[in-house]
Amino acid sequence: MDASNKKYYPFFILAGIFVILLIRNRYSFCWSDESLYVSNMYRLYQGDVFLKDEWNSAMLSSYVTLPLFYIFMLFKGSTDGVYIFFRDACVVIAFFAAVSVYRILSRQFLTRTALSCSICLMIYSRANICGCSYYNMGLFLFVLADCMFYDVCYLQKGVRKKDRVLSFLAGMCLGMSIIVNPYFILFLLILFLFYFRDRRKKILAAIGGCVFAGTVFVLYYLKSISFDGFFIMIRNAGSLGAPSVTDKIVYWFICLFGFFKETAVVQGLVFALQIYLKQNPKKYMWIRYLLALISLACFGVHLYHSANMLGGAYIALSFLGIQILPVISWEGANADIARKSILYFYITGILMSMAFVIASNNGIDAAGIGFVVVSFGAIIALSEFAHSGKMQKQKTVMEFICLGSVLGVTMFLRIFSVYRDDVLPELKYKITQGPAKGLYTTKEHLQQYNHVCDDIREFVNTDRETSVFIGRIAPWAYLCTSARCGVYTTWRLDFSDPRLEQYYENHLEPEKILVLDPEYGGFRDNYISTWGENGDLTPNVNNIGGYLSEYMDRSGYQCMRVRSGILFFKPKVSYGKEGV
């Protein structure tokens, strides 16, 4: 490879991964999580408001992606194919973020070091949920902010005209990441102090970017709220069930200990011995080699245990990075910036990991999101270890093996693991209608999907003034009708949920209720596990009861059997093949 091409090969590699991920986007159809994100955007598009009409905090991330939804609807005119659109949009954003990471880090570190960091970001997607989840959007926005702050405050020695612009843009990205995950704000002061410890003059530009993003969000949010509605929303905020921050932070440590419980004591002893032996670097070399082998063995154990969780390999790599810190021979002009960079990405990544654990109920799986950023520091540490002191060739081989195994495991899971559908070879039946148009799923899931779409088209009113309830897990089904969502969330809502009575104090009860058969949306996970499951063949089990059932009895609702389940409706409504 000549010098002119060598300069561009990292972009060719990232572009190749980009194409692979676009192809992978076409396979699998998720009825649950990914479905929630598109249904939330559709609710906002229809005019619903967070806390007034929707009580699930996951809707906050939909405000950030809503402009993309408007663009899609402007050009498409319907929700057909919206799944693929947002999957592809997510890959485009990941590619842009990965290129930004590479361009910034390659200014200071080796090409392969910067490229490894960018690939780590690009191929990660929590649980292999392909769309614009709040996990993915929170990660990409935070990484963009983190790397721009890093460029301005750590890599740039002089003053550039564009520094304040970059600080403002970084503040905007950080502000949007706070909208996606409000728990980032708990660590905002620490982040700003860490970002601007010796560049405090630029903090005003960064705060300005944060404030700008927040102001745009608040103004858009308030435009649809009346004075009376404001007090209703304050009351509804109590329905969100905010977690105990201190308990969640303690839980973060418990999650990590659970991940490393087999080797925690051994790693602690190895780390302590490495620090002790650091005082006499020329003595006990055989012990140092032995400790290095033990660290590698622990890394292998962690890598093996993380084989069913995207991001687990990054956690394993991050702790290997800590293990090798005492044995790095800090040499050359790059040593100081390398030390600062390692600390920078470890601290900011850990804060991000904690924020997602606080916001999510997914434990170590959510913690792994922040370790995408922490892994940047680990990769830099591994590179410094390989290129300092003696035995550089042998240590370089170790660097390639470690990075190759981490990226290989993650890329394998990113391509072959399937979140809540079925094994990849079974996904060969193309969906030809509705929001999932263009995706490939199993024959059984295609039939279930078509039944739901046909039932909604034939029996559910498309009047925008009509509200419907589709239970229990099929948020995507709301995109098949112009009717408004008639419940406080599209996410796993049981018919008998006691909070429905409070919701209907300020909303009309739905005129039509479609209760899906239990087996609809059933799935088998493969290569990854969710909540310790290997799958769920009856996710739509429901309990007909509670306030809504009593209301239907009082109001004389009737019911009829349709293809996908049971439809409840008010008696004045008539049905036919032409619709309502």
Side-chain angles (χ1 to χ4, degrees):
M1 185 181 293
D2 59 43
S4 60
N5 288 331
K6 188 178 291 187
K7 171 179 177 181
Y8 297 105
Y9 87 86
F11 300 103
F12 293 143
I13 292 174
L14 292 176
I17 295 173
F18 175 80
V19 172
I20 291 170
L21 295 181
L22 286 182
I23 295 170
R24 175 62 181 84
N25 276 349
R26 273 66 189 156
Y27 297 90
S28 79
F29 169 51
C30 173
W31 283 57
S32 56
D33 301 55
E34 188 178 357
S35 180
L36 170 68
Y37 310 129
V38 294
S39 73
N40 281 344
M41 284 183 275
Y42 188 54
R43 292 194 72 169
L44 292 177
Y45 179 80
Q46 289 182 309
D48 285 356
V49 179
F50 174 59
L51 287 182
K52 175 177 173 286
D53 306 297
E54 165 70 52
W55 297 356
N56 190 323
S57 58
M59 183 179 247
L60 284 170
S61 68
S62 299
Y63 282 96
V64 173
T65 53
L66 184 60
L68 291 175
F69 194 89
Y70 272 104
I71 293 171
F72 175 82
M73 294 298 291
L74 178 65
F75 287 96
K76 187 73 174 179
S78 73
T79 60
D80 288 1
V82 71
Y83 260 74
I84 280 185
F85 173 80
F86 276 99
R87 286 186 178 187
D88 290 350
C90 189
V91 173
V92 170
I93 296 169
F95 178 74
F96 174 77
V99 169
S100 300
V101 168
Y102 171 75
R103 287 178 63 86
I104 290 171
L105 293 183
S106 63
R107 289 177 49 207
Q108 190 65 43
F109 300 104
L110 294 173
T111 296
R112 66 170 178 264
T113 301
L115 180 60
S116 297
C117 292
S118 63
I119 293 175
C120 278
L121 174 66
M122 190 167 179
I123 63 177
Y124 176 81
S125 181
R126 189 246 139 193
N128 211 7
I129 301 173
C130 300
C132 290
S133 67
Y134 70 86
Y135 300 107
N136 287 339
M137 294 307 299
L139 171 64
F140 297 145
L141 289 168
F142 186 87
V143 165
L144 285 171
D146 213 38
C147 285
M148 282 189 280
F149 283 133
Y150 175 75
D151 184 15
V152 169
C153 302
Y154 284 76
L155 295 186
Q156 183 58 30
K157 296 180 180 179
V159 177
R160 299 175 299 182
K161 292 181 179 179
K162 66 178 182 179
D163 282 353
R164 290 189 180 180
V165 175
L166 282 177
S167 296
F168 182 83
L169 293 175
M172 276 185 58
C173 289
L174 187 60
M176 287 190 286
S177 71
I178 291 171
I179 296 169
V180 172
N181 182 353
Y183 293 101
F184 278 132
I185 205 167
L186 296 172
F187 308 109
L188 189 59
L189 179 60
I190 300 174
L191 286 171
F192 272 142
L193 290 175
F194 197 66
Y195 290 147
F196 296 100
R197 57 181 182 173
D198 55 357
R199 303 280 177 141
R200 292 180 178 85
K201 290 183 179 179
K202 299 185 183 73
I203 196 170
L204 291 177
I207 291 174
C210 258
V211 171
F212 177 78
T215 301
V216 172
F217 165 68
V218 170
L219 290 177
Y220 181 85
Y221 180 74
L222 293 178
K223 76 180 180 64
S224 302
I225 300 170
S226 65
F227 183 76
D228 293 337
F230 181 75
F231 294 99
I232 293 173
M233 288 192 306
I234 292 177
R235 186 193 68 175
N236 292 343
S239 301
L240 297 179
S244 167
V245 173
T246 53
D247 289 350
K248 282 284 193 172
I249 291 176
V250 171
Y251 179 60
W252 181 84
F253 286 99
I254 293 172
C255 284
L256 286 184
F257 179 78
F259 188 87
F260 295 105
K261 61 185 177 183
E262 292 86 358
T263 61
V265 175
V266 174
Q267 284 186 286
L269 290 173
V270 168
F271 188 74
L273 280 171
Q274 293 282 29
I275 292 176
Y276 174 75
L277 294 174
K278 183 81 171 177
Q279 301 171 10
N280 298 288
K282 295 182 179 181
K283 293 183 179 181
Y284 309 112
M285 288 302 296
W286 68 272
I287 297 179
R288 295 168 71 89
Y289 293 143
L290 178 62
L291 294 177
L293 290 175
I294 293 173
S295 293
L296 281 176
C298 291
F299 169 72
V301 171
H302 302 151
L303 198 65
Y304 175 78
H305 284 187
S306 69
N308 66 341
M309 182 182 75
L310 265 159
Y314 297 162
I315 301 176
L317 178 64
S318 298
F319 276 78
L320 177 64
I322 293 175
Q323 290 294 103
I324 64 175
L325 281 177
V327 296
I328 296 176
S329 302
W330 300 103
E331 301 169 348
N334 198 52
D336 185 56
I337 189 63
R339 276 195 296 261
K340 290 180 179 178
S341 301
I342 293 166
L343 179 65
Y344 179 90
F345 288 117
Y346 265 85
I347 296 297
T348 56
I350 285 171
L351 293 178
M352 181 189 183
S353 176
M354 287 182 174
F356 271 108
V357 167
I358 295 169
S360 174
N361 59 358
N362 285 302
I364 190 67
D365 201 11
I369 301 170
F371 278 87
V372 177
V373 178
V374 177
S375 68
F376 295 176
I379 291 170
I380 294 170
L382 202 58
S383 176
E384 290 300 307
F385 171 69
H387 296 90
S388 64
K390 299 178 180 180
M391 301 180 66
Q392 291 190 14
K393 289 184 179 180
Q394 291 85 343
K395 289 188 290 186
T396 300
V397 171
M398 174 188 137
E399 178 190 9
F400 274 100
I401 291 173
C402 292
L403 287 180
S405 59
V406 167
L407 295 178
V409 167
T410 306
M411 191 65 179
F412 178 87
L413 291 175
R414 185 66 175 88
I415 295 174
F416 294 101
S417 66
V418 179
Y419 186 71
R420 295 188 174 177
D421 195 340
D422 210 321
V423 294
L424 197 60
E426 294 297 320
L427 308 179
K428 53 188 177 182
Y429 296 89
K430 189 174 183 178
I431 297 173
T432 58
Q433 63 173 326
K437 182 178 179 180
L439 299 184
Y440 289 84
T441 186
T442 66
K443 183 177 182 180
E444 179 185 6
H445 292 166
L446 174 62
Q447 184 180 51
Q448 292 176 353
Y449 175 87
N450 285 335
H451 284 171
V452 175
C453 289
D454 294 343
D455 287 340
I456 291 174
R457 183 172 55 249
E458 187 170 351
F459 301 114
V460 175
N461 197 324
T462 57
D463 185 353
R464 290 180 181 271
E465 301 304 316
T466 301
S467 65
V468 299
F469 172 21
I470 302 169
R472 172 177 181 263
I473 306 178
W476 61 267
Y478 289 98
L479 281 79
C480 298
T481 173
S482 296
R484 304 291 284 268
C485 176
V487 285
Y488 70 83
T489 183
T490 62
W491 177 244
R492 294 182 179 271
L493 187 63
D494 286 320
F495 196 99
S496 58
D497 192 298
R499 288 175 291 180
L500 287 174
E501 183 173 5
Q502 178 186 341
Y503 185 76
Y504 293 129
E505 291 176 6
N506 303 108
H507 295 80
L508 293 175
E509 288 80 359
E511 293 184 17
K512 290 139 194 174
I513 303 168
L514 176 60
V515 178
L516 299 177
D517 287 338
E519 68 275 11
Y520 273 59
F523 64 91
R524 289 189 300 157
D525 282 332
N526 59 102
Y527 293 118
I528 57 172
S529 62
T530 58
W531 286 88
E533 303 169 349
N534 291 318
D536 186 352
L537 300 180
T538 56
N540 268 303
V541 172
N542 218 321
N543 179 28
I544 307 299
Y547 169 81
L548 193 53
S549 180
E550 294 171 1
Y551 171 79
M552 289 195 307
D553 290 340
R554 293 195 307 269
S555 303
Y557 275 65
Q558 296 179 4
C559 69
M560 62 182 292
R561 177 73 196 180
V562 293
R563 301 173 189 86
S564 59
I566 303 295
L567 180 71
F568 297 90
F569 58 94
K570 289 186 176 180
K572 65 179 181 180
V573 182
S574 60
Y575 297 91
K577 290 188 177 181
E578 296 300 320
V580 186

